[in-house]
Amino acid sequence: MPRLAANLAYLFADRPPLDRFAAAAAVGFRAVELQYPYDQDPAAMRAEIVRSDLIMLGVNTAPLPDAPSGIAGVPGREAEFAALFERALALAVALGGRAIHCLAGVVPEAQREAGEATFVTNLKHAADRAAPHGLTVLIEPLNTVDRPGYLLDRAEQAAAILARVERANVKMQFDLYHQQIMGGDLLRRFERHLPLIGHVQIAAVPSRAEPDEGEVNHAVVLAALDRLGYAGFVGCEYLPRGRTEDGLGWAAPWGIGVRVS
Ligand SMILES: O=C(O)C(=O)[C@@H](O)CO
Ligand SMILES: [Mg+2]
């Protein structure tokens, strides 16, 4: 059965960040992921994670004012990336997390080859820094409608980059929302890349709301992930149409929902 995780940048976002952990646990989530919790006290977050008995999955490398989509694949910014990664590593370790998503960045068309080479170099470095802590480094293809010019936009491209990185602790974050927009054929592409996939995320397409509307049948997709042997978590990275709790009907078959006592 797919194990759903709450992305606390998207879900329960109507309350203060520290209150979101208990809110997720109260509806049955056993794991959470964060995006950019760099403005919060790590010890306070860790206390909430422990108090709610949650598994802490991933964080992202921090956005920069001139590079909100990251710099891991931006030529000439390798030293800055190394510093950014150290910050993410310290945070992930403090939170007891399992993964760090390295955002590749926006790169002009003419520099994409150089950008991929930089990405490979930076990922090797990140992997070697993360390995002693048992952490996975993730890369995620993002769709070019939401993120024009983003260096990494297709699962096939991510697979080619992972082959060049040659580190077992670097994996693909397969976000079905982005993958559907960038070509669809979700199940065949998921199966083809399964050995490289370290995390999955979902949201309705094209609305990015609860995965109970739009062009993808998530009940079918989640059942297929299970059948194909995917044993990781599925991050709920969607924008609730209203209160998070009111939109969880779709997740009831997977053990998530408001408890009525
Ligand atoms: O946008 C997404 O999808 C993500 O998973 C983010 O963490 C990347 O910014
Ligand atoms: Mg995502």
Side-chain angles (χ1 to χ4, degrees):
M1 178 159 115
R3 294 183 294 166
L4 300 181
N7 185 307
L8 297 185
Y10 283 66
L11 304 195
F12 309 104
D14 57 344
R15 62 211 83 187
L18 283 180
D19 294 352
R20 297 177 197 170
F21 297 94
V27 297
F29 285 108
R30 303 304 330 136
V32 294
E33 58 190 38
L34 306 170
Q35 282 191 331
Y36 310 106
Y38 291 93
D39 56 347
Q40 301 295 312
D41 173 20
M45 286 190 285
R46 180 70 196 154
E48 288 303 312
I49 291 164
V50 170
R51 194 165 71 85
S52 291
D53 196 19
L54 289 164
I55 294 168
M56 175 61 214
L57 299 176
V59 297
N60 291 353
T61 49
L64 295 173
D66 68 340
S69 297
I71 53 170
V74 179
R77 301 190 71 166
E78 292 81 354
E80 269 177 282
F81 172 75
L84 209 59
F85 188 79
E86 287 308 308
R87 201 170 157 217
L89 185 58
L91 178 63
V93 169
L95 296 179
R98 296 183 174 186
I100 297 170
H101 169 205
C102 292
L103 281 110
V106 169
V107 175
E109 195 58 42
Q111 272 185 34
R112 285 180 83 85
E113 210 178 306
E116 287 194 357
T118 301
F119 200 23
V120 169
T121 303
N122 283 337
L123 289 170
K124 285 179 195 253
H125 167 79
D128 295 344
R129 293 288 303 136
H133 303 280
L135 282 162
T136 299
V137 171
L138 294 170
I139 62 172
E140 177 182 17
L142 303 179
N143 80 75
T144 52
V145 179
D146 295 347
R147 302 248 190 184
Y150 193 73
L151 178 68
L152 183 65
D153 56 30
R154 287 167 292 108
E156 292 69 23
Q157 182 193 6
I161 284 171
L162 293 178
R164 290 166 68 186
V165 172
E166 293 183 303
R167 298 290 190 280
N169 67 329
V170 185
K171 298 275 188 192
M172 191 188 318
Q173 180 156 295
F174 194 94
D175 186 329
L176 292 154
Y177 164 78
H178 295 294
Q179 294 305 312
Q180 172 64 10
I181 295 170
M182 299 304 286
D185 196 18
L186 290 176
L187 296 184
R188 266 193 296 241
R189 289 168 80 212
F190 180 86
E191 184 172 14
R192 197 177 313 131
H193 298 302
L194 182 54
L196 302 176
I197 293 176
H199 188 52
V200 170
Q201 292 174 325
I202 53 170
V205 183
S207 65
R208 211 168 190 179
E210 279 88 348
D212 57 7
E213 63 174 50
E215 64 196 54
V216 176
N217 184 334
H218 283 88
V220 169
V221 168
L222 291 177
L225 262 52
D226 227 14
R227 201 175 53 247
L228 293 170
Y230 174 69
F233 283 92
V234 175
C236 298
E237 191 183 43
Y238 60 77
L239 294 158
R241 291 180 291 259
R243 235 177 132 251
T244 300
E245 286 89 338
D246 296 342
L248 288 174
W250 70 273
W254 293 285
I256 306 293
V258 179
R259 273 51 177 159
V260 183
S261 53

